[in-house]
């Protein structure tokens, strides 16, 4: 236990040190929100993927595979394809367009500049969407952090919740975007080596790859059937398959990932970053699936009762490694959670301070005031998120794990449906206009909420189509409304179209 605690403390102190280091390097808004567009290809690639995967990579996915087999890997397939397409078709043009379009430093900034919105409508809708969905997303991260601390150290869950939130908030407040990105790099490296080392150790102990496959088959052959759930032996339905694959659409609307594309020092380096990111993603997702499968082998061999499948990674680590390594690998779970939560807090802060406070409340606010307001926003969102997680933990402990995953999927759908279609149309269709953009964004957010809380609970039992993941109808509705309203209203001005053409000419391989 001493080694484990020591590794955790060292890791947390390292994160805080990075925050202090970048405190004086983030004095301007461009530096605090976007690192002055000077981030190198490795930092952009690793921070984008670390902030993407969160604790789901080391807890959620392995747990689902342990319980139901490789059929749960369809979400990973959707995420892998979505990651590639986001890097391939969005990253470079967004980097170029956001710079040419008034040097936008946030996603709401880009949308507002792109459509020459002088009314503040785009900024207001964008900021509200970001604050709403990121509050729930961050709450899920804090909840997962509390679960990790309480399981590892037998700590009171609420105490663990406050401790985890305090560390994340501290270095985000101090160093802004550069601190978040550099901590994400370290976290991404730790996550990668931990998720690969754990299944590799079990495979080696079992006698190699073939022996491991044979051992899994001997436990339950349906574990390796990608179209059958090992949980109950049922076939994967078409609705369930589509719901898993459609997760990939969410990437086009994730603000905390998209801003990484905007921050790279040169657009030409996007290709290198994409290759780095895809290696990380493919290997990590495959290893996470392997953790769930080989967890079955160890559980049977050692006679371990796994009451919570999401803890299978932690169980394997505790059974296989030296206490010091256990501390490092347990820190990988914390790294996964923190790398997402810090990015979400920073994006929420930038949305409120730069895109709402400055434009609506205090147009003459200077950089120091805006950074101060951003830091207050980080603290405020964190407090609300902690309260949500605290309330759920206190009122329904049995559903706490379900709450974490449910809020992640809800927030992912909300961003994917609100921003995803608009991001694609803004980058690749010159006819889209302000009316279409605002309408589509609002419809995407509303459809997600209505489908999730009103349609699916009441109609899914009788009509399976309503069991579809809310991202699918939300994305489709947003896309259709954006196109229709744009076509039914006056076209964008000549200067908007000319700017679009100039950007398109700088990325000919992606010309619309």
């Amino acid at each position: 236990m001493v080694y484990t605690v020591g590794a955790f403390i060292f890791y947390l102190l390292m994160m805080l040190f990075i925050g202090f280091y970048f405190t004086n390097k983030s004095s301007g808004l461009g530096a605090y929100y976007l690192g002055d567009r000077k981030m190198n290809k490795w930092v952009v690639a690793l921070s984008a993927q670390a902030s993407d995967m969160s604790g789901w990579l080391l807890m959620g996915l392995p747990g689902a595979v342990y319980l139901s087999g490789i059929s749960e890997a369809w979400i990973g397939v959707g995420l892998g394809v979505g990651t590639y397409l986001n890097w391939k078709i969005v990253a470079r043009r967004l980097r170029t367009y956001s710079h040419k379009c008034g040097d936008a430093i946030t996603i709401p900034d880009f949308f507002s500049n792109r459509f020459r919105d002088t009314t503040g409508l785009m900024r207001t809708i964008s900021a509200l969407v970001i604050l709403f969905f990121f509050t729930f997303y961050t709450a899920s991260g804090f909840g997962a952090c509390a679960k990790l601390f309480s399981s590892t150290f037998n700590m009171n869950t609420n105490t663990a919740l406050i401790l985890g939130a305090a560390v994340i908030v501290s270095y985000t407040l101090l160093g802004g975007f550069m601190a978040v990105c550099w901590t994400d790099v370290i976290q991404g490296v730790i996550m990668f080596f931990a998720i690969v080392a754990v299944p590799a150790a079990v495979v080696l102990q079992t006698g190699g790859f073939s022996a491991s496959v044979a051992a899994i088959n001997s436990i339950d052959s349906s574990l390796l059937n990608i179209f059958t759930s090992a949980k109950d032996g049922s076939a994967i339905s078409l609705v369930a398959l589509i719901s898993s694959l459609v997760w990939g659409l969410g990437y086009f609307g994730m603000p905390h990932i998209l801003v990484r594309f905007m921050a790279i020092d040169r657009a030409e380096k996007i290709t290198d970053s994409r290759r780095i990111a895809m290696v990380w993603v493919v290997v990590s997702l495959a290893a996470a699936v392997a953790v769930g499968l080989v967890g079955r082998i160890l559980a049977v061999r050692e006679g371990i009762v796994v009451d919570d499948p999401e803890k299978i990674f932690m169980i394997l680590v505790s059974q296989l490694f030296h206490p010091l390594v256990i501390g490092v690998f347990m820190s990988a779970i914390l790294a996964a959670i923190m790398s997402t939560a810090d990015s979400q807090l920073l994006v929420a802060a930038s949305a409120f301070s730069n895109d709402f406070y400055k434009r609506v409340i205090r147009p003459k606010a200077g950089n120091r005031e805006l950074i101060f307001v951003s830091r207050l926003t980080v603290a405020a969102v964190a407090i609300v998120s902690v309260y949500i997680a605290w309330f759920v933990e206190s009122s329904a402990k049995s559903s706490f794990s379900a709450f974490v995953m449910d809020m992640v999927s809800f927030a992912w759908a909300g961003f994917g449906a609100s921003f995803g279609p608009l991001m694609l149309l803004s980058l690749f269709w010159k006819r889209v206009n302000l009316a279409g953009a605002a309408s589509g964004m609002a419809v995407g957010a509303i459809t997600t909420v209505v489908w999730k809380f009103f349609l699916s609970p009441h109609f899914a039992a009788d009509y399976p189509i309503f069991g579809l993941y809310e991202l699918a109808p939300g994305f489709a509705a947003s896309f259709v409304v954006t196109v229709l309203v744009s076509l039914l209203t006056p076209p964008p001005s000549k200067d908007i179209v000319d700017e679009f053409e100039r950007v398109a000419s700088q990325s000919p391989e992606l010309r619309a």
Side-chain angles (χ1 to χ4, degrees), residues 7 27-28 43 63 92-93 99 103 108-109 167 192 215 254 256 282 295 306 352 435 443 454 458 469-470 507 510:
S27 56
V43 172
R92 180 165 179 168
R93 183 166 290 198
H99 183 56
D103 196 21
D109 217 11
V167 174
F192 183 85
M254 291 299 131
H256 58 300
V282 171
V306 181
F352 179 78
V443 166
F454 297 97
H458 295 99
Y469 179 31
E470 58 267 22
S507 48
L510 299 176

PDB file of all heavy atoms in Angstrom, residues 7 27-28 43 63 92-93 99 103 108-109 167 192 215 254 256 282 295 306 352 435 443 454 458 469-470 507 510:
ATOM      1  N   ALA A   7       3.118   6.274  -5.372  1.00  0.00           N
ATOM      2  CA  ALA A   7       3.004   6.490  -6.823  1.00  0.00           C
ATOM      3  C   ALA A   7       1.886   7.479  -7.125  1.00  0.00           C
ATOM      4  O   ALA A   7       2.032   8.356  -7.988  1.00  0.00           O
ATOM      5  CB  ALA A   7       2.757   5.157  -7.529  1.00  0.00           C
ATOM      6  N   SER A  27      -0.638  34.225 -20.043  1.00  0.00           N
ATOM      7  CA  SER A  27      -1.146  35.535 -19.654  1.00  0.00           C
ATOM      8  C   SER A  27      -2.152  36.096 -20.645  1.00  0.00           C
ATOM      9  O   SER A  27      -2.996  36.904 -20.285  1.00  0.00           O
ATOM     10  CB  SER A  27       0.021  36.516 -19.492  1.00  0.00           C
ATOM     11  OG  SER A  27       0.787  36.564 -20.687  1.00  0.00           O
ATOM     12  N   GLY A  28      -2.080  35.691 -21.913  1.00  0.00           N
ATOM     13  CA  GLY A  28      -3.013  36.186 -22.920  1.00  0.00           C
ATOM     14  C   GLY A  28      -4.101  35.174 -23.203  1.00  0.00           C
ATOM     15  O   GLY A  28      -3.971  33.993 -22.896  1.00  0.00           O
ATOM     16  N   VAL A  43       2.223  16.625 -29.058  1.00  0.00           N
ATOM     17  CA  VAL A  43       1.347  17.128 -28.005  1.00  0.00           C
ATOM     18  C   VAL A  43      -0.102  17.148 -28.479  1.00  0.00           C
ATOM     19  O   VAL A  43      -1.021  16.723 -27.762  1.00  0.00           O
ATOM     20  CB  VAL A  43       1.784  18.539 -27.558  1.00  0.00           C
ATOM     21  CG1 VAL A  43       0.757  19.141 -26.602  1.00  0.00           C
ATOM     22  CG2 VAL A  43       3.151  18.488 -26.899  1.00  0.00           C
ATOM     23  N   GLY A  63     -14.819  -3.635 -18.766  1.00  0.00           N
ATOM     24  CA  GLY A  63     -15.902  -4.194 -17.967  1.00  0.00           C
ATOM     25  C   GLY A  63     -17.019  -4.750 -18.824  1.00  0.00           C
ATOM     26  O   GLY A  63     -17.556  -5.834 -18.558  1.00  0.00           O
ATOM     27  N   ARG A  92      -7.273  19.426 -40.555  1.00  0.00           N
ATOM     28  CA  ARG A  92      -6.453  20.403 -41.273  1.00  0.00           C
ATOM     29  C   ARG A  92      -7.269  21.624 -41.702  1.00  0.00           C
ATOM     30  O   ARG A  92      -6.821  22.763 -41.554  1.00  0.00           O
ATOM     31  CB  ARG A  92      -5.811  19.750 -42.502  1.00  0.00           C
ATOM     32  CG  ARG A  92      -4.951  20.713 -43.301  1.00  0.00           C
ATOM     33  CD  ARG A  92      -4.047  20.000 -44.268  1.00  0.00           C
ATOM     34  NE  ARG A  92      -3.246  20.944 -45.043  1.00  0.00           N
ATOM     35  CZ  ARG A  92      -2.210  20.616 -45.795  1.00  0.00           C
ATOM     36  NH1 ARG A  92      -1.837  19.345 -45.867  1.00  0.00           N
ATOM     37  NH2 ARG A  92      -1.542  21.527 -46.465  1.00  0.00           N
ATOM     38  N   ARG A  93      -8.480  21.380 -42.227  1.00  0.00           N
ATOM     39  CA  ARG A  93      -9.252  22.528 -42.684  1.00  0.00           C
ATOM     40  C   ARG A  93      -9.693  23.399 -41.513  1.00  0.00           C
ATOM     41  O   ARG A  93      -9.728  24.618 -41.613  1.00  0.00           O
ATOM     42  CB  ARG A  93     -10.459  22.076 -43.509  1.00  0.00           C
ATOM     43  CG  ARG A  93     -11.246  23.268 -44.070  1.00  0.00           C
ATOM     44  CD  ARG A  93     -12.234  22.886 -45.140  1.00  0.00           C
ATOM     45  NE  ARG A  93     -11.584  22.467 -46.370  1.00  0.00           N
ATOM     46  CZ  ARG A  93     -12.202  22.414 -47.550  1.00  0.00           C
ATOM     47  NH1 ARG A  93     -13.481  22.754 -47.638  1.00  0.00           N
ATOM     48  NH2 ARG A  93     -11.575  22.027 -48.630  1.00  0.00           N
ATOM     49  N   HIS A  99      -8.003  30.005 -38.221  1.00  0.00           N
ATOM     50  CA  HIS A  99      -6.980  31.051 -38.211  1.00  0.00           C
ATOM     51  C   HIS A  99      -7.340  32.170 -39.182  1.00  0.00           C
ATOM     52  O   HIS A  99      -7.231  33.363 -38.852  1.00  0.00           O
ATOM     53  CB  HIS A  99      -5.629  30.454 -38.581  1.00  0.00           C
ATOM     54  CG  HIS A  99      -4.507  31.437 -38.523  1.00  0.00           C
ATOM     55  ND1 HIS A  99      -4.193  32.167 -37.403  1.00  0.00           N
ATOM     56  CD2 HIS A  99      -3.605  31.828 -39.472  1.00  0.00           C
ATOM     57  CE1 HIS A  99      -3.163  32.962 -37.646  1.00  0.00           C
ATOM     58  NE2 HIS A  99      -2.794  32.771 -38.906  1.00  0.00           N
ATOM     59  N   ASP A 103      -9.032  34.686 -36.671  1.00  0.00           N
ATOM     60  CA  ASP A 103      -8.169  34.058 -35.675  1.00  0.00           C
ATOM     61  C   ASP A 103      -8.986  33.562 -34.478  1.00  0.00           C
ATOM     62  O   ASP A 103      -8.701  33.868 -33.325  1.00  0.00           O
ATOM     63  CB  ASP A 103      -7.089  35.041 -35.204  1.00  0.00           C
ATOM     64  CG  ASP A 103      -5.945  34.333 -34.473  1.00  0.00           C
ATOM     65  OD1 ASP A 103      -5.793  33.112 -34.672  1.00  0.00           O
ATOM     66  OD2 ASP A 103      -5.225  35.001 -33.713  1.00  0.00           O
ATOM     67  N   PRO A 108     -17.157  28.267 -30.465  1.00  0.00           N
ATOM     68  CA  PRO A 108     -18.177  29.302 -30.677  1.00  0.00           C
ATOM     69  C   PRO A 108     -17.617  30.511 -31.417  1.00  0.00           C
ATOM     70  O   PRO A 108     -18.314  31.119 -32.240  1.00  0.00           O
ATOM     71  CB  PRO A 108     -18.603  29.671 -29.245  1.00  0.00           C
ATOM     72  CG  PRO A 108     -18.348  28.432 -28.453  1.00  0.00           C
ATOM     73  CD  PRO A 108     -17.080  27.870 -29.036  1.00  0.00           C
ATOM     74  N   ASP A 109     -16.369  30.865 -31.127  1.00  0.00           N
ATOM     75  CA  ASP A 109     -15.685  31.949 -31.822  1.00  0.00           C
ATOM     76  C   ASP A 109     -15.647  31.668 -33.324  1.00  0.00           C
ATOM     77  O   ASP A 109     -15.935  32.536 -34.152  1.00  0.00           O
ATOM     78  CB  ASP A 109     -14.256  32.047 -31.287  1.00  0.00           C
ATOM     79  CG  ASP A 109     -13.776  33.486 -31.189  1.00  0.00           C
ATOM     80  OD1 ASP A 109     -14.604  34.398 -31.331  1.00  0.00           O
ATOM     81  OD2 ASP A 109     -12.571  33.682 -30.978  1.00  0.00           O
ATOM     82  N   VAL A 167      -7.734  18.431  -7.362  1.00  0.00           N
ATOM     83  CA  VAL A 167      -6.477  18.350  -8.123  1.00  0.00           C
ATOM     84  C   VAL A 167      -6.702  18.765  -9.573  1.00  0.00           C
ATOM     85  O   VAL A 167      -5.936  19.557 -10.148  1.00  0.00           O
ATOM     86  CB  VAL A 167      -5.895  16.920  -8.063  1.00  0.00           C
ATOM     87  CG1 VAL A 167      -4.679  16.804  -8.977  1.00  0.00           C
ATOM     88  CG2 VAL A 167      -5.518  16.565  -6.632  1.00  0.00           C
ATOM     89  N   PHE A 192      -1.419   4.423 -22.222  1.00  0.00           N
ATOM     90  CA  PHE A 192      -1.044   3.519 -23.310  1.00  0.00           C
ATOM     91  C   PHE A 192      -0.246   2.321 -22.796  1.00  0.00           C
ATOM     92  O   PHE A 192      -0.576   1.164 -23.090  1.00  0.00           O
ATOM     93  CB  PHE A 192      -0.220   4.289 -24.349  1.00  0.00           C
ATOM     94  CG  PHE A 192       0.166   3.471 -25.555  1.00  0.00           C
ATOM     95  CD1 PHE A 192      -0.706   3.333 -26.623  1.00  0.00           C
ATOM     96  CD2 PHE A 192       1.396   2.841 -25.619  1.00  0.00           C
ATOM     97  CE1 PHE A 192      -0.358   2.575 -27.735  1.00  0.00           C
ATOM     98  CE2 PHE A 192       1.760   2.083 -26.723  1.00  0.00           C
ATOM     99  CZ  PHE A 192       0.880   1.955 -27.784  1.00  0.00           C
ATOM    100  N   ALA A 215      -8.167 -20.877 -23.939  1.00  0.00           N
ATOM    101  CA  ALA A 215      -8.665 -20.754 -22.571  1.00  0.00           C
ATOM    102  C   ALA A 215      -9.978 -19.974 -22.534  1.00  0.00           C
ATOM    103  O   ALA A 215     -10.909 -20.345 -21.803  1.00  0.00           O
ATOM    104  CB  ALA A 215      -7.619 -20.069 -21.701  1.00  0.00           C
ATOM    105  N   MET A 254     -17.031  17.376 -30.923  1.00  0.00           N
ATOM    106  CA  MET A 254     -16.441  17.426 -29.587  1.00  0.00           C
ATOM    107  C   MET A 254     -15.527  18.656 -29.425  1.00  0.00           C
ATOM    108  O   MET A 254     -14.407  18.659 -29.937  1.00  0.00           O
ATOM    109  CB  MET A 254     -15.633  16.161 -29.309  1.00  0.00           C
ATOM    110  CG  MET A 254     -16.460  14.914 -29.168  1.00  0.00           C
ATOM    111  SD  MET A 254     -17.622  15.030 -27.785  1.00  0.00           S
ATOM    112  CE  MET A 254     -19.116  14.491 -28.613  1.00  0.00           C
ATOM    113  N   HIS A 256     -13.637  19.801 -27.022  1.00  0.00           N
ATOM    114  CA  HIS A 256     -12.339  19.609 -26.364  1.00  0.00           C
ATOM    115  C   HIS A 256     -11.356  18.853 -27.259  1.00  0.00           C
ATOM    116  O   HIS A 256     -10.151  18.904 -27.017  1.00  0.00           O
ATOM    117  CB  HIS A 256     -12.511  18.896 -25.028  1.00  0.00           C
ATOM    118  CG  HIS A 256     -13.170  17.557 -25.096  1.00  0.00           C
ATOM    119  ND1 HIS A 256     -14.438  17.376 -25.576  1.00  0.00           N
ATOM    120  CD2 HIS A 256     -12.740  16.323 -24.725  1.00  0.00           C
ATOM    121  CE1 HIS A 256     -14.773  16.098 -25.501  1.00  0.00           C
ATOM    122  NE2 HIS A 256     -13.755  15.438 -25.000  1.00  0.00           N
ATOM    123  N   VAL A 282      -5.869   2.747 -32.015  1.00  0.00           N
ATOM    124  CA  VAL A 282      -6.094   1.353 -32.428  1.00  0.00           C
ATOM    125  C   VAL A 282      -5.504   0.386 -31.407  1.00  0.00           C
ATOM    126  O   VAL A 282      -6.159  -0.581 -30.984  1.00  0.00           O
ATOM    127  CB  VAL A 282      -5.506   1.103 -33.827  1.00  0.00           C
ATOM    128  CG1 VAL A 282      -5.538  -0.390 -34.159  1.00  0.00           C
ATOM    129  CG2 VAL A 282      -6.275   1.893 -34.881  1.00  0.00           C
ATOM    130  N   GLY A 295      -9.340 -11.081 -18.573  1.00  0.00           N
ATOM    131  CA  GLY A 295      -9.810 -11.007 -17.207  1.00  0.00           C
ATOM    132  C   GLY A 295     -10.604 -12.251 -16.829  1.00  0.00           C
ATOM    133  O   GLY A 295     -10.563 -12.716 -15.682  1.00  0.00           O
ATOM    134  N   VAL A 306     -15.750 -11.490  -9.374  1.00  0.00           N
ATOM    135  CA  VAL A 306     -15.753 -10.105  -9.863  1.00  0.00           C
ATOM    136  C   VAL A 306     -17.174  -9.562  -9.731  1.00  0.00           C
ATOM    137  O   VAL A 306     -18.036  -9.824 -10.574  1.00  0.00           O
ATOM    138  CB  VAL A 306     -15.280 -10.047 -11.334  1.00  0.00           C
ATOM    139  CG1 VAL A 306     -15.273  -8.605 -11.830  1.00  0.00           C
ATOM    140  CG2 VAL A 306     -13.901 -10.670 -11.471  1.00  0.00           C
ATOM    141  N   PHE A 352     -17.955  30.405 -21.677  1.00  0.00           N
ATOM    142  CA  PHE A 352     -18.657  31.414 -20.885  1.00  0.00           C
ATOM    143  C   PHE A 352     -17.952  32.766 -20.937  1.00  0.00           C
ATOM    144  O   PHE A 352     -18.575  33.797 -21.200  1.00  0.00           O
ATOM    145  CB  PHE A 352     -18.776  30.971 -19.428  1.00  0.00           C
ATOM    146  CG  PHE A 352     -19.472  31.990 -18.556  1.00  0.00           C
ATOM    147  CD1 PHE A 352     -20.848  32.104 -18.585  1.00  0.00           C
ATOM    148  CD2 PHE A 352     -18.742  32.856 -17.754  1.00  0.00           C
ATOM    149  CE1 PHE A 352     -21.500  33.061 -17.798  1.00  0.00           C
ATOM    150  CE2 PHE A 352     -19.378  33.815 -16.976  1.00  0.00           C
ATOM    151  CZ  PHE A 352     -20.763  33.910 -16.997  1.00  0.00           C
ATOM    152  N   ALA A 435     -28.780  31.466 -40.456  1.00  0.00           N
ATOM    153  CA  ALA A 435     -30.086  30.950 -40.048  1.00  0.00           C
ATOM    154  C   ALA A 435     -30.070  29.429 -39.960  1.00  0.00           C
ATOM    155  O   ALA A 435     -30.579  28.833 -39.004  1.00  0.00           O
ATOM    156  CB  ALA A 435     -31.167  31.417 -41.033  1.00  0.00           C
ATOM    157  N   VAL A 443     -31.717  22.494 -32.879  1.00  0.00           N
ATOM    158  CA  VAL A 443     -32.498  21.271 -33.101  1.00  0.00           C
ATOM    159  C   VAL A 443     -31.711  20.037 -32.670  1.00  0.00           C
ATOM    160  O   VAL A 443     -32.273  19.098 -32.086  1.00  0.00           O
ATOM    161  CB  VAL A 443     -32.921  21.166 -34.584  1.00  0.00           C
ATOM    162  CG1 VAL A 443     -33.418  19.750 -34.903  1.00  0.00           C
ATOM    163  CG2 VAL A 443     -34.004  22.180 -34.889  1.00  0.00           C
ATOM    164  N   PHE A 454     -37.650  11.540 -23.079  1.00  0.00           N
ATOM    165  CA  PHE A 454     -39.098  11.480 -23.301  1.00  0.00           C
ATOM    166  C   PHE A 454     -39.535  10.378 -24.272  1.00  0.00           C
ATOM    167  O   PHE A 454     -40.505   9.672 -24.002  1.00  0.00           O
ATOM    168  CB  PHE A 454     -39.604  12.845 -23.797  1.00  0.00           C
ATOM    169  CG  PHE A 454     -39.409  13.946 -22.809  1.00  0.00           C
ATOM    170  CD1 PHE A 454     -38.313  14.790 -22.898  1.00  0.00           C
ATOM    171  CD2 PHE A 454     -40.307  14.139 -21.770  1.00  0.00           C
ATOM    172  CE1 PHE A 454     -38.118  15.812 -21.973  1.00  0.00           C
ATOM    173  CE2 PHE A 454     -40.130  15.152 -20.841  1.00  0.00           C
ATOM    174  CZ  PHE A 454     -39.022  15.989 -20.940  1.00  0.00           C
ATOM    175  N   HIS A 458     -40.376   5.845 -22.987  1.00  0.00           N
ATOM    176  CA  HIS A 458     -41.796   5.536 -23.071  1.00  0.00           C
ATOM    177  C   HIS A 458     -42.167   4.650 -24.271  1.00  0.00           C
ATOM    178  O   HIS A 458     -43.218   3.986 -24.235  1.00  0.00           O
ATOM    179  CB  HIS A 458     -42.613   6.833 -23.142  1.00  0.00           C
ATOM    180  CG  HIS A 458     -42.513   7.668 -21.914  1.00  0.00           C
ATOM    181  ND1 HIS A 458     -41.665   8.754 -21.812  1.00  0.00           N
ATOM    182  CD2 HIS A 458     -43.124   7.571 -20.706  1.00  0.00           C
ATOM    183  CE1 HIS A 458     -41.773   9.288 -20.610  1.00  0.00           C
ATOM    184  NE2 HIS A 458     -42.657   8.599 -19.917  1.00  0.00           N
ATOM    185  N   TYR A 469     -29.587   4.867 -30.047  1.00  0.00           N
ATOM    186  CA  TYR A 469     -28.792   5.861 -29.325  1.00  0.00           C
ATOM    187  C   TYR A 469     -29.147   7.254 -29.817  1.00  0.00           C
ATOM    188  O   TYR A 469     -29.203   7.515 -31.025  1.00  0.00           O
ATOM    189  CB  TYR A 469     -27.307   5.562 -29.548  1.00  0.00           C
ATOM    190  CG  TYR A 469     -26.338   6.502 -28.896  1.00  0.00           C
ATOM    191  CD1 TYR A 469     -26.621   7.152 -27.702  1.00  0.00           C
ATOM    192  CD2 TYR A 469     -25.084   6.731 -29.477  1.00  0.00           C
ATOM    193  CE1 TYR A 469     -25.715   8.002 -27.105  1.00  0.00           C
ATOM    194  CE2 TYR A 469     -24.155   7.569 -28.887  1.00  0.00           C
ATOM    195  CZ  TYR A 469     -24.474   8.214 -27.709  1.00  0.00           C
ATOM    196  OH  TYR A 469     -23.562   9.061 -27.122  1.00  0.00           O
ATOM    197  N   GLU A 470     -29.415   8.169 -28.896  1.00  0.00           N
ATOM    198  CA  GLU A 470     -29.933   9.496 -29.227  1.00  0.00           C
ATOM    199  C   GLU A 470     -29.036  10.305 -30.151  1.00  0.00           C
ATOM    200  O   GLU A 470     -29.492  11.277 -30.781  1.00  0.00           O
ATOM    201  CB  GLU A 470     -30.214  10.294 -27.954  1.00  0.00           C
ATOM    202  CG  GLU A 470     -29.035  10.491 -27.014  1.00  0.00           C
ATOM    203  CD  GLU A 470     -28.949   9.430 -25.932  1.00  0.00           C
ATOM    204  OE1 GLU A 470     -29.502   8.326 -26.116  1.00  0.00           O
ATOM    205  OE2 GLU A 470     -28.295   9.711 -24.906  1.00  0.00           O
ATOM    206  N   SER A 507      -6.412  23.700 -49.036  1.00  0.00           N
ATOM    207  CA  SER A 507      -6.450  22.271 -48.718  1.00  0.00           C
ATOM    208  C   SER A 507      -7.150  21.551 -49.876  1.00  0.00           C
ATOM    209  O   SER A 507      -8.267  21.065 -49.737  1.00  0.00           O
ATOM    210  CB  SER A 507      -7.209  22.020 -47.412  1.00  0.00           C
ATOM    211  OG  SER A 507      -8.441  22.731 -47.407  1.00  0.00           O
ATOM    212  N   LEU A 510      -9.100  18.258 -49.889  1.00  0.00           N
ATOM    213  CA  LEU A 510     -10.377  18.170 -49.182  1.00  0.00           C
ATOM    214  C   LEU A 510     -11.400  19.131 -49.792  1.00  0.00           C
ATOM    215  O   LEU A 510     -12.404  19.423 -49.171  1.00  0.00           O
ATOM    216  CB  LEU A 510     -10.186  18.508 -47.697  1.00  0.00           C
ATOM    217  CG  LEU A 510      -9.252  17.595 -46.916  1.00  0.00           C
ATOM    218  CD1 LEU A 510      -9.103  18.110 -45.501  1.00  0.00           C
ATOM    219  CD2 LEU A 510      -9.754  16.167 -46.904  1.00  0.00           C
TER     220      LEU A 510
END
